[in-house]
Short mmCIF file of all heavy atoms in Angstrom, two decimals:
data_model
loop_
_atom_site.label_atom_id
_atom_site.label_comp_id
_atom_site.label_asym_id
_atom_site.label_seq_id
_atom_site.Cartn_x
_atom_site.Cartn_y
_atom_site.Cartn_z
N GLY A 215 0.77 -1.20 0.01
CA GLY A 215 -0.01 0.01 0.01
C GLY A 215 0.79 1.25 0.01
O GLY A 215 0.22 2.34 0.20
N CYS A 216 2.12 1.17 -0.19
CA CYS A 216 2.98 2.39 -0.12
C CYS A 216 3.39 2.83 -1.52
O CYS A 216 3.85 2.05 -2.29
CB CYS A 216 4.19 2.12 0.75
SG CYS A 216 5.21 3.59 1.04
N ALA A 217 3.30 4.16 -1.68
CA ALA A 217 3.71 4.72 -3.01
C ALA A 217 4.81 5.76 -2.74
O ALA A 217 5.04 6.62 -3.61
CB ALA A 217 2.54 5.36 -3.73
N CYS A 218 5.57 5.65 -1.65
CA CYS A 218 6.70 6.54 -1.46
C CYS A 218 7.70 6.31 -2.55
O CYS A 218 7.72 5.32 -3.23
CB CYS A 218 7.31 6.32 -0.07
SG CYS A 218 8.26 4.76 0.09
N PRO A 219 8.61 7.26 -2.75
CA PRO A 219 9.57 7.12 -3.90
C PRO A 219 10.37 5.83 -3.85
O PRO A 219 10.58 5.16 -4.86
CB PRO A 219 10.47 8.35 -3.71
CG PRO A 219 9.57 9.36 -3.05
CD PRO A 219 8.72 8.60 -2.14
N ARG A 220 10.79 5.38 -2.66
CA ARG A 220 11.57 4.18 -2.58
C ARG A 220 10.71 2.90 -2.88
O ARG A 220 11.17 2.04 -3.59
CB ARG A 220 12.21 4.03 -1.17
CG ARG A 220 13.31 2.98 -1.05
CD ARG A 220 14.11 3.15 0.21
NE ARG A 220 14.93 4.41 0.11
CZ ARG A 220 14.74 5.45 0.91
NH1 ARG A 220 13.77 5.46 1.78
NH2 ARG A 220 15.49 6.52 0.75
N CYS A 221 9.51 2.84 -2.37
CA CYS A 221 8.65 1.71 -2.64
C CYS A 221 8.19 1.76 -4.11
O CYS A 221 8.17 0.69 -4.80
CB CYS A 221 7.42 1.69 -1.75
SG CYS A 221 7.84 1.18 -0.08
N ALA A 222 7.90 2.96 -4.68
CA ALA A 222 7.52 3.04 -6.06
C ALA A 222 8.61 2.54 -6.98
O ALA A 222 8.36 1.88 -7.98
CB ALA A 222 7.18 4.52 -6.37
N ALA A 223 9.83 2.91 -6.66
CA ALA A 223 10.99 2.42 -7.43
C ALA A 223 11.12 0.91 -7.38
O ALA A 223 11.41 0.26 -8.37
CB ALA A 223 12.23 3.08 -6.96
N ALA A 224 10.82 0.33 -6.21
CA ALA A 224 10.90 -1.13 -6.07
C ALA A 224 9.75 -1.85 -6.75
O ALA A 224 9.92 -2.94 -7.29
CB ALA A 224 10.96 -1.50 -4.59
N TRP A 225 8.59 -1.22 -6.80
CA TRP A 225 7.44 -1.78 -7.56
C TRP A 225 7.86 -1.82 -9.04
O TRP A 225 7.54 -2.78 -9.74
CB TRP A 225 6.20 -0.99 -7.40
CG TRP A 225 5.57 -1.13 -6.01
CD1 TRP A 225 5.26 -0.15 -5.13
CD2 TRP A 225 4.99 -2.31 -5.43
NE1 TRP A 225 4.64 -0.66 -4.00
CE2 TRP A 225 4.44 -2.00 -4.17
CE3 TRP A 225 4.96 -3.69 -5.83
CZ2 TRP A 225 3.85 -2.95 -3.32
CZ3 TRP A 225 4.37 -4.59 -4.98
CH2 TRP A 225 3.85 -4.26 -3.75
N ALA A 226 8.49 -0.72 -9.48
CA ALA A 226 8.80 -0.66 -10.93
C ALA A 226 10.01 -1.54 -11.32
O ALA A 226 10.09 -2.04 -12.40
CB ALA A 226 9.11 0.84 -11.26
N ASP A 227 10.94 -1.70 -10.32
CA ASP A 227 12.14 -2.48 -10.66
C ASP A 227 12.35 -3.44 -9.44
O ASP A 227 12.87 -3.10 -8.41
CB ASP A 227 13.37 -1.53 -10.78
CG ASP A 227 14.65 -2.27 -11.02
OD1 ASP A 227 14.62 -3.53 -11.17
OD2 ASP A 227 15.72 -1.60 -11.04
N PRO A 228 12.01 -4.75 -9.64
CA PRO A 228 12.15 -5.67 -8.54
C PRO A 228 13.60 -5.82 -7.99
O PRO A 228 13.81 -6.23 -6.89
CB PRO A 228 11.70 -7.07 -9.17
CG PRO A 228 10.76 -6.62 -10.25
CD PRO A 228 11.34 -5.31 -10.80
N ALA A 229 14.58 -5.35 -8.85
CA ALA A 229 15.97 -5.38 -8.31
C ALA A 229 16.18 -4.51 -7.16
O ALA A 229 17.18 -4.64 -6.40
CB ALA A 229 16.91 -5.10 -9.46
N ARG A 230 15.25 -3.55 -6.97
CA ARG A 230 15.41 -2.57 -5.87
C ARG A 230 14.63 -2.98 -4.65
O ARG A 230 14.55 -2.24 -3.66
CB ARG A 230 15.00 -1.18 -6.35
CG ARG A 230 15.85 -0.62 -7.50
CD ARG A 230 15.58 0.79 -7.82
NE ARG A 230 15.95 1.66 -6.69
CZ ARG A 230 15.88 2.97 -6.72
NH1 ARG A 230 15.47 3.59 -7.87
NH2 ARG A 230 16.32 3.74 -5.70
N ALA A 231 13.99 -4.12 -4.70
CA ALA A 231 13.26 -4.66 -3.53
C ALA A 231 14.24 -5.12 -2.44
O ALA A 231 15.42 -5.39 -2.75
CB ALA A 231 12.40 -5.83 -3.94
N ALA A 232 13.77 -5.23 -1.21
CA ALA A 232 14.60 -5.66 -0.09
C ALA A 232 13.69 -6.60 0.81
O ALA A 232 12.59 -6.16 1.14
CB ALA A 232 15.12 -4.51 0.70
N ARG A 233 14.22 -7.76 1.11
CA ARG A 233 13.46 -8.66 1.95
C ARG A 233 13.64 -8.39 3.43
O ARG A 233 14.66 -7.80 3.84
CB ARG A 233 13.86 -10.11 1.62
CG ARG A 233 13.57 -10.47 0.16
CD ARG A 233 13.94 -11.86 -0.20
NE ARG A 233 15.36 -12.13 -0.10
CZ ARG A 233 16.03 -13.18 -0.54
NH1 ARG A 233 15.35 -14.21 -1.07
NH2 ARG A 233 17.36 -13.26 -0.45
N PRO A 234 12.71 -8.86 4.28
CA PRO A 234 12.84 -8.67 5.71
C PRO A 234 14.12 -9.34 6.25
O PRO A 234 14.59 -10.34 5.71
CB PRO A 234 11.63 -9.35 6.23
CG PRO A 234 10.61 -9.26 5.17
CD PRO A 234 11.39 -9.46 3.91
N ALA A 235 14.59 -8.74 7.32
CA ALA A 235 15.87 -9.22 7.92
C ALA A 235 15.82 -10.70 8.23
O ALA A 235 14.93 -11.16 8.98
CB ALA A 235 16.19 -8.43 9.18
N CYS A 236 16.80 -11.42 7.79
CA CYS A 236 16.86 -12.85 8.02
C CYS A 236 18.35 -13.30 7.81
O CYS A 236 19.01 -12.79 6.97
CB CYS A 236 16.00 -13.56 6.99
SG CYS A 236 16.00 -15.36 7.05
N LEU A 237 18.71 -14.26 8.64
CA LEU A 237 20.10 -14.76 8.57
C LEU A 237 20.07 -16.29 8.33
O LEU A 237 19.27 -16.99 8.95
CB LEU A 237 20.87 -14.52 9.86
CG LEU A 237 22.39 -14.75 9.84
CD1 LEU A 237 23.06 -13.72 9.04
CD2 LEU A 237 22.95 -14.82 11.29
N GLY A 238 20.85 -16.78 7.39
CA GLY A 238 21.06 -18.18 7.16
C GLY A 238 22.38 -18.60 7.66
O GLY A 238 23.37 -17.87 7.56
N ILE A 239 22.40 -19.85 8.25
CA ILE A 239 23.70 -20.40 8.68
C ILE A 239 23.89 -21.70 8.02
O ILE A 239 22.99 -22.55 7.96
CB ILE A 239 23.63 -20.60 10.24
CG1 ILE A 239 23.25 -19.32 11.02
CG2 ILE A 239 24.99 -21.19 10.73
CD1 ILE A 239 24.27 -18.25 10.84
N VAL A 240 25.09 -21.96 7.47
CA VAL A 240 25.39 -23.16 6.75
C VAL A 240 26.63 -23.79 7.40
O VAL A 240 27.69 -23.13 7.64
CB VAL A 240 25.68 -22.88 5.26
CG1 VAL A 240 26.08 -24.18 4.53
CG2 VAL A 240 24.50 -22.28 4.56
N ASP A 241 26.51 -25.09 7.74
CA ASP A 241 27.64 -25.88 8.15
C ASP A 241 28.30 -26.42 6.85
O ASP A 241 27.71 -27.28 6.19
CB ASP A 241 27.23 -27.05 9.07
CG ASP A 241 28.42 -27.86 9.58
OD1 ASP A 241 29.37 -28.04 8.79
OD2 ASP A 241 28.37 -28.26 10.77
N ASP A 242 29.44 -25.95 6.55
CA ASP A 242 30.03 -26.26 5.25
C ASP A 242 30.64 -27.70 5.20
O ASP A 242 31.10 -28.13 4.15
CB ASP A 242 31.12 -25.22 4.87
CG ASP A 242 30.44 -23.88 4.61
OD1 ASP A 242 29.78 -23.75 3.63
OD2 ASP A 242 30.67 -22.98 5.47
N MET A 243 30.58 -28.42 6.32
CA MET A 243 30.98 -29.84 6.29
C MET A 243 29.73 -30.71 6.12
O MET A 243 29.75 -31.52 5.21
CB MET A 243 31.70 -30.16 7.58
CG MET A 243 32.08 -31.65 7.68
SD MET A 243 32.85 -32.08 9.25
CE MET A 243 34.47 -31.27 8.99
N SER A 244 28.73 -30.54 6.94
CA SER A 244 27.59 -31.40 6.87
C SER A 244 26.54 -31.03 5.82
O SER A 244 25.74 -31.79 5.41
CB SER A 244 26.91 -31.47 8.26
OG SER A 244 26.25 -30.22 8.50
N GLY A 245 26.55 -29.70 5.43
CA GLY A 245 25.51 -29.20 4.53
C GLY A 245 24.28 -28.77 5.23
O GLY A 245 23.32 -28.24 4.62
N GLU A 246 24.18 -28.96 6.50
CA GLU A 246 22.98 -28.52 7.29
C GLU A 246 22.86 -27.00 7.25
O GLU A 246 23.86 -26.27 7.24
CB GLU A 246 23.09 -28.99 8.73
CG GLU A 246 23.01 -30.53 8.92
CD GLU A 246 23.23 -30.92 10.34
OE1 GLU A 246 24.30 -30.53 10.88
OE2 GLU A 246 22.35 -31.55 10.91
N ARG A 247 21.63 -26.55 7.16
CA ARG A 247 21.37 -25.11 7.14
C ARG A 247 20.30 -24.76 8.14
O ARG A 247 19.33 -25.53 8.35
CB ARG A 247 20.86 -24.74 5.71
CG ARG A 247 21.99 -24.95 4.65
CD ARG A 247 21.49 -25.78 3.55
NE ARG A 247 22.65 -26.37 2.86
CZ ARG A 247 23.22 -25.89 1.77
NH1 ARG A 247 22.79 -24.81 1.24
NH2 ARG A 247 24.26 -26.51 1.21
N TRP A 248 20.43 -23.60 8.72
CA TRP A 248 19.44 -23.07 9.69
C TRP A 248 19.06 -21.66 9.23
O TRP A 248 19.86 -20.89 8.69
CB TRP A 248 20.04 -22.94 11.12
CG TRP A 248 20.37 -24.30 11.70
CD1 TRP A 248 19.52 -25.04 12.52
CD2 TRP A 248 21.56 -25.06 11.58
NE1 TRP A 248 20.15 -26.22 12.89
CE2 TRP A 248 21.37 -26.28 12.32
CE3 TRP A 248 22.72 -24.90 10.84
CZ2 TRP A 248 22.37 -27.24 12.38
CZ3 TRP A 248 23.74 -25.89 10.95
CH2 TRP A 248 23.51 -27.03 11.69
N LEU A 249 17.83 -21.27 9.63
CA LEU A 249 17.36 -19.92 9.36
C LEU A 249 17.24 -19.26 10.77
O LEU A 249 16.71 -19.89 11.67
CB LEU A 249 15.99 -19.89 8.73
CG LEU A 249 16.00 -20.10 7.18
CD1 LEU A 249 14.56 -20.33 6.71
CD2 LEU A 249 16.64 -18.99 6.45
N ILE A 250 17.64 -18.04 10.90
CA ILE A 250 17.33 -17.27 12.08
C ILE A 250 16.27 -16.25 11.62
O ILE A 250 16.52 -15.30 10.85
CB ILE A 250 18.51 -16.57 12.67
CG1 ILE A 250 19.64 -17.60 13.00
CG2 ILE A 250 18.16 -15.75 13.86
CD1 ILE A 250 20.80 -17.05 13.75
N ASP A 251 15.04 -16.50 12.12
CA ASP A 251 13.83 -15.79 11.83
C ASP A 251 13.17 -16.37 10.53
O ASP A 251 13.88 -16.72 9.57
CB ASP A 251 14.02 -14.30 11.81
CG ASP A 251 14.08 -13.69 13.13
OD1 ASP A 251 13.51 -14.28 14.12
OD2 ASP A 251 14.76 -12.68 13.37
N ALA A 252 11.84 -16.48 10.59
CA ALA A 252 11.06 -16.99 9.48
C ALA A 252 10.18 -15.85 9.05
O ALA A 252 9.14 -15.53 9.66
CB ALA A 252 10.20 -18.18 9.90
N THR A 253 10.56 -15.16 8.00
CA THR A 253 9.93 -13.95 7.57
C THR A 253 8.80 -14.17 6.60
O THR A 253 8.65 -15.26 6.08
CB THR A 253 10.94 -12.96 6.94
OG1 THR A 253 11.12 -13.27 5.55
CG2 THR A 253 12.31 -13.04 7.67
N PRO A 254 8.09 -13.10 6.22
CA PRO A 254 7.10 -13.20 5.13
C PRO A 254 7.67 -13.64 3.79
O PRO A 254 6.93 -14.03 2.90
CB PRO A 254 6.46 -11.83 5.10
CG PRO A 254 6.63 -11.28 6.48
CD PRO A 254 7.96 -11.78 6.89
N ALA A 255 8.98 -13.42 3.65
CA ALA A 255 9.74 -13.81 2.41
C ALA A 255 10.33 -15.19 2.53
O ALA A 255 11.26 -15.57 1.79
CB ALA A 255 10.78 -12.81 2.10
N PHE A 256 9.77 -16.09 3.44
CA PHE A 256 10.33 -17.36 3.70
C PHE A 256 10.56 -18.19 2.48
O PHE A 256 11.65 -18.80 2.33
CB PHE A 256 9.39 -18.11 4.70
CG PHE A 256 9.88 -19.51 5.03
CD1 PHE A 256 10.65 -19.69 6.15
CD2 PHE A 256 9.48 -20.60 4.30
CE1 PHE A 256 11.05 -20.96 6.52
CE2 PHE A 256 9.88 -21.88 4.66
CZ PHE A 256 10.71 -22.05 5.75
N PRO A 257 9.61 -18.27 1.48
CA PRO A 257 9.92 -19.09 0.31
C PRO A 257 11.21 -18.76 -0.43
O PRO A 257 12.08 -19.71 -0.67
CB PRO A 257 8.69 -18.96 -0.57
CG PRO A 257 7.58 -18.56 0.41
CD PRO A 257 8.30 -17.74 1.43
N SER A 258 11.36 -17.50 -0.70
CA SER A 258 12.59 -17.10 -1.47
C SER A 258 13.85 -17.24 -0.63
O SER A 258 14.95 -17.53 -1.12
CB SER A 258 12.47 -15.74 -2.07
OG SER A 258 12.39 -14.72 -1.11
#
């Protein structure tokens, strides 16, 4: 619902979008991965 200049630019150009804060952790030996926080952008 936002049409501020920054959001309008991101609507027009998806490359300017930003996802909610989230951290991924990878164990480079086992391949196991963890997420810190499960955001509305969880799928991507």
Side-chain angles (χ1 to χ4, degrees):
C216 186
C218 74
R220 192 165 292 112
C221 286
W225 287 121
D227 179 6
R230 300 190 64 176
R233 297 180 296 190
C236 177
L237 191 72
I239 306 295
V240 177
D241 184 322
D242 294 291
M243 177 182 288
S244 69
E246 293 175 303
R247 293 126 203 266
W248 293 266
L249 284 170
I250 301 185
D251 285 330
T253 85
F256 181 90
S258 65

